[in-house]
Amino acid sequence: MFADGLAVSSAIGVAAWVRRLASALNAALVYERGATDVTTTVDGVIGAGRGVCQDFAHVFVALCRLRGVAARYVSGWMFEPDREGMVESHAWAEVHVPGIGWVEEDPTHVGEVSDRYVRIACGRDYADVVPIKGTYLGGITESMVVSVELREVC
């Protein structure tokens, strides 16, 4: 099984285990746009060995829960000042570390989740935090365009 060697150890503590899990997951999965979609399951991502940030977050959350660590999915934006082109939404996770509280972890970009991350919502998984949800009545020629601008302010 994918997570057999990733059991939570009281010797290293939950916070260190979470960071190790994020690093292991990042090394095991390839970031590839178009390899998955919003309906791809955790098993599908693991089987394919590839996905995007929402997949990395889903697998991370599932593995945390499998090992008894409370975790939730976070959706938002990540400010990347050197990025060219359109800004895309981003997904990461939060885990509950005893004695500390909720700690954010990004298995796609392993390292400290900083103020570059703009949280929009958190929930059990993507289905809880979809950016647009509802019913549309209109012709098939209608479309929607969304633009988000992130920039540093002094």
Side-chain angles (χ1 to χ4, degrees), residues 132-144:
I132 299 169
K133 194 174 192 176
T135 303
Y136 171 75
L137 298 173
I140 60 172
T141 60
E142 299 295 323
S143 65
M144 179 174 68

Side-chain angles (χ1 to χ4, degrees), residues 63-139:
L63 292 173
C64 285
R65 291 175 182 165
L66 179 69
R67 299 300 183 196
V69 176
R72 56 192 180 195
Y73 181 96
V74 182
S75 178
W77 303 92
M78 187 172 74
F79 177 64
E80 299 173 277
D82 298 327
R83 182 184 176 114
E84 292 188 23
M86 292 185 59
V87 174
E88 298 172 337
S89 62
H90 188 56
W92 60 100
E94 282 186 322
V95 296
H96 192 269
V97 177
I100 297 174
W102 289 99
V103 176
E104 294 176 293
E105 187 66 46
D106 184 353
T108 307
H109 305 283
V110 178
E112 181 182 346
V113 173
S114 66
D115 59 358
R116 295 182 315 127
Y117 289 74
V118 180
R119 167 197 304 263
I120 301 299
C122 67
R124 294 167 295 182
D125 55 29
Y126 175 80
D128 281 351
V129 300
V130 293
I132 299 169
K133 194 174 192 176
T135 303
Y136 171 75
L137 298 173

